Structures are given as C-alpha cells and as structure tokens.
Amino acid sequence: MLEGLPFTLRLALAGGPWRWRPAPSGRCAGVWPRRGLSRPAGRCVPPRLSAAARSESLSMASPRPVASAAAAVFARQDCNNGCSAEYTEEGGSKEVVDTFKAKDLIITPATVLKEKPDPDTLVFGTVFTDHMLTVEWSSESGWEKPHIKPLQNLSLHPGSSAFHYAVELFEGLKAFRGVDNKIRLFRPKLNMDRMYRSAMRATLPTFRLCLCTFASLQPSLGVKKPTKALIFVILSPVGPYFSSGSFNPVSLWANPKYVRAWKGGTGDCKMGGNYGSSLFAQCEAIENACQQVLWLYGEDNQITEVGTMNLFLYWINENGEEELATPPLDGIILPGVTRQSILDLAHNWGEFKVSERYLTMDDLTTALEESRVREMFGSGTACVVCPVSKILYKGEVRPTWKFLG
C-alpha cells in the first residue's frame, strides 16, 4: 500500500513501532569494520547486520522530536608518544577514559526554569533547555568530575586555539518521544562512534560519554598542542530544520568551482571548519534561488553530499535495475546516522537494489533526460529525510521530484 508514495514519504510512514539496528561492533582503527565495495580499497563502511543482531535494535514508536543535543570540541591530546591511542569498544583509550567517571557526576539544578516552548513555533537551534553538562580536561590530571549545571555562557581566553586554528569538533543527535511518553535517543552509539573517529583524526582527547563535545581553553597563540579542554553538552527542542517545513522538497545548486572536502582531508569528520568554510558557497546558492549546495568533487563532478545532509538517488540505473544509490564512505562525505538507518531499512525491505557507489552529474543528468529518476532526497539528523525538488547545474534548472501517487 506504500508503493505509490515517494521514497521520502515511505520512510516517514513505513511504520508502526520503528525498529532500528544497533551500531555494529568491531575494530578498524576506531571506525567501521571493512566491507568490500566497487570502490577504492582501504576505506571503512558500515556493514549489514545479521537477523540476530537486528533483534537487539532500539524500538521507536511514532517518533516526535523533542530535543537535539549539540556541542563543539577544541582540544588535542599530547602526541609525544604517538597520536593513535588504543581503541576500546567503550569509545576511547583506556588511559584517558578511566579518568572520567560518570558516577562522579555533580548536579546543580537551575533555580529559575523557562516556560515550555510551543512546539508549533519552534525555530531550529534558537531555544535551549535550562541545563548543560560540562567536564574539564587537562594534560596533567585528565578529566575532572562531570557537572550538570544551569545553562550559561562559556568563558574562553581570546588566544584559544579553537578561535584561531579550528582545533575543534562537534557532534549532534536527536531524541524522540514515543507514544508511550518515553524519550529515546536515536542510535546514539553511531554518533559516539563518529565522534570518536573525529577525535582520533584531530588528535583530541578521547572519551567515554554519550552526547559529548569539547572546547579548547589553551591561552596561547601558535599551532601547538593544547593542554586544557572543556567538554560541554547543550540541548535544544527543535522543529523542522528548513523554513519550508518537514518533508517539503528543497532546491540544490551544483557548481564545481567550490569544493567542500578532498581525499586525505577531514570531510568525513564532524569539525566546524568543514561548515564555516562552506558559508560563502551557501550564500551564492541562495543568490541563485537555491536552498542548499550540492557539493561536487573531481574532474568528473562526482556527487558527494549536500551542505546539511547526505544524498540518495532512487532511480532506474544504467542496467535497468530499480536502485537506491548513495555515494560511498570514502573519506570525503560525513557518515550520517540517518544515512545508515535508511540503508538498513532499504536492505531489510529487500524490494530493490541498494548500493553505496560513485555517482556523477553526467549520470544524473542522463537519467533525468531519460526519465529514469524516481526521486532524489537527502538525510540528516537535523533535516531527517528531505526530498530534492530541482538542481541548478550549468545554468539549467533540472526538476528531480514529483508526487507519484
């Protein structure tokens, strides 16, 4: 009964109590276990899980977003003895995480609480809850006791390396309230795995904590190893990410003159520098009446991702097969949690081919000309699942979305 619906609506309506697979375990220098795909070797991608593993998944009933956790990291560990600490399943090197004990949590409740906001008028990222979590770190004593306290401004030295050299990273995830009124985090281990990988890439202190972020307090200029850090977590109730509303199609601007990420860079890590440097291109996209940038890479204009979301193409491929395709995790794109969940669902449905493979703008434009594109859509923690209505490429607007019911 869902076959006539666009893919994005099927994902929204596919229903009943939703069941999501848990994050896979395994070791690959702190990232996903390897799986062979038709792309360069040596990259790590999420594997499909067995039926037994899927049976342990998290149950989500009629999800409704109630909060989004966000934060930022600005510190690096001492690399005198090497930058790659031993990976542990708990999410960090033993010598570092053992100095950070959740049982030592200090709670200082706020004395004045805000009124609950109207969920129908929420603007994404503008309303925050009454409390925050902070944990201080230093190279001398490790992590201090974690502290939940009233939301307040941070005090950072103007010489902080985060301000000058972007020695930082951040992570964000969502929580949902189910029909049973319980609040559940959406696949938090995937976010923690991704944050751990980002921390390893940036040589930041590792950790054992859900909903983590860091900020550097190093009060001296110069590209060198910070000796102090602050981890903080803030929460924000959110509505639709785009002003056009949930599940309403967005337009994309594709122009190869700007590049978001490159081989050997940090495009697969959630670092602020990846986003701050994209703002100029985003402004140009808006000037061209498009809402987001579709980032391209290489001489063949490979499709990578959109500024705020991973990208999927639901089409009839070159071989006449019905296929859901998305670019592979080759170090250029962010390994999205919603992206992985969509792949898990599509594999579980078994209704069409599901691929992680390279796609170029020539592949897309040819498929559009031959009416082989069923739908394009993006996915992300903030935007959830969002259809793409059109792409502006080489001065031509190319529609990509229509209701198939």
Side-chain angles (χ1 to χ4, degrees):
M1 62 184 293
L2 296 174
E3 290 183 359
L5 296 177
F7 196 88
T8 46
L9 295 183
R10 292 186 64 189
L11 289 169
L13 300 174
W18 292 5
R19 297 193 65 83
W20 305 102
R21 303 178 195 175
S25 60
R27 300 177 66 163
C28 185
V31 294
W32 293 102
R34 300 180 190 272
R35 177 177 66 174
L37 290 175
S38 56
R39 55 181 176 78
R43 300 292 181 181
C44 298
V45 298
R48 292 183 60 185
L49 299 186
S50 65
R54 289 196 299 269
S55 68
E56 300 175 1
S57 58
L58 173 64
S59 177
M60 296 289 294
S62 300
R64 174 187 177 192
V66 296
S68 175
V73 180
F74 315 143
R76 296 192 298 181
Q77 71 187 54
D78 189 332
C79 292
N80 290 336
N81 297 316
C83 295
S84 297
E86 180 185 359
Y87 176 71
T88 69
E89 293 296 332
E90 290 80 5
S93 64
K94 186 176 187 301
E95 62 271 23
V96 176
V97 298
D98 277 357
T99 67
F100 182 6
K101 302 294 186 181
K103 66 181 179 61
D104 295 328
L105 178 66
I106 301 170
I107 300 177
T108 305
T111 56
V112 179
L113 303 180
K114 305 170 189 173
E115 291 187 8
K116 184 178 179 180
D118 182 352
D120 295 327
T121 59
L122 282 174
V123 177
F124 197 97
T126 60
V127 179
F128 297 92
T129 58
D130 297 298
H131 296 88
M132 66 190 299
L133 168 67
T134 64
V135 194
E136 294 188 17
W137 175 89
S138 72
S139 57
E140 294 180 355
S141 58
W143 293 108
E144 303 295 334
K145 293 182 179 180
H147 191 179
I148 293 178
K149 58 187 177 182
L151 183 71
Q152 56 195 259
N153 293 335
L154 298 176
S155 177
L156 297 178
H157 191 283
S160 169
S161 57
F163 297 147
H164 299 275
Y165 307 112
V167 183
E168 58 78 46
L169 66 84
F170 71 101
E171 187 57 65
L173 61 83
K174 275 187 176 176
F176 295 87
R177 187 186 301 276
V179 293
D180 58 2
N181 208 37
K182 293 182 179 179
I183 295 176
R184 298 175 176 87
L185 300 180
F186 181 76
R187 306 192 80 176
K189 188 179 184 299
L190 294 186
N191 291 91
M192 293 304 97
D193 289 345
R194 183 172 68 185
M195 190 170 181
Y196 179 85
R197 295 194 300 269
S198 297
M200 293 292 289
R201 182 64 173 83
T203 66
L204 290 163
T206 48
F207 52 88
R208 180 191 296 159
L209 177 72
C210 284
L211 311 178
C212 303
T213 352
F214 298 75
S216 163
L217 298 177
Q218 176 66 22
S220 62
L221 294 176
V223 183
K224 55 186 179 181
K225 295 171 288 188
T227 58
K228 294 182 180 180
L230 170 68
I231 177 172
F232 68 93
V233 180
I234 53 178
L235 300 175
S236 174
V238 298
Y241 182 76
F242 295 116
S243 59
S244 55
S246 298
F247 301 112
N248 289 326
V250 297
S251 55
L252 305 181
W253 180 71
N255 192 316
K257 72 176 181 177
Y258 298 118
V259 178
R260 174 192 175 271
W262 50 90
K263 300 285 186 180
T266 60
D268 60 344
C269 300
K270 205 163 180 65
M271 297 178 174
N274 294 338
Y275 298 83
S277 60
S278 70
L279 295 178
F280 190 83
Q282 175 64 24
C283 290
E284 191 161 339
I286 294 174
E287 290 173 358
N288 284 274
C290 294
Q291 293 166 275
Q292 291 286 309
V293 177
L294 171 56
W295 296 99
L296 307 177
Y297 179 78
E299 295 183 358
D300 56 351
N301 289 332
Q302 294 174 24
I303 295 171
T304 62
E305 65 177 72
V306 179
T308 57
M309 53 193 186
N310 295 118
L311 197 66
F312 285 84
L313 177 61
Y314 180 45
W315 67 333
I316 303 299
N317 66 20
E318 309 92 330
N319 301 319
E321 302 167 302
E322 188 177 3
E323 179 184 37
L324 178 66
T326 190
L329 301 182
D330 63 352
I332 291 180
I333 70 172
L334 190 70
V337 174
T338 310
R339 172 189 181 276
Q340 182 59 41
S341 300
I342 291 171
L343 291 173
D344 289 346
L345 280 173
H347 278 301
N348 188 57
W349 289 344
E351 298 177 10
F352 40 75
K353 184 176 182 179
V354 180
S355 304
E356 297 175 73
R357 69 182 182 97
Y358 292 115
L359 299 165
T360 68
M361 283 303 298
D362 284 346
D363 294 333
L364 176 60
T365 54
T366 299
L368 288 171
E369 291 170 358
E370 297 175 356
S371 300
R372 291 189 284 110
V373 174
R374 300 285 182 85
E375 186 178 359
M376 286 189 71
F377 63 93
S379 69
T381 297
C383 69
V384 190
V385 178
C386 182
V388 174
S389 60
K390 61 183 180 181
I391 297 176
L392 176 58
Y393 177 63
K394 292 185 176 181
E396 183 178 346
V397 176
R398 305 166 192 268
T400 62
W401 187 88
K402 64 180 180 179
F403 189 76
L404 302 177

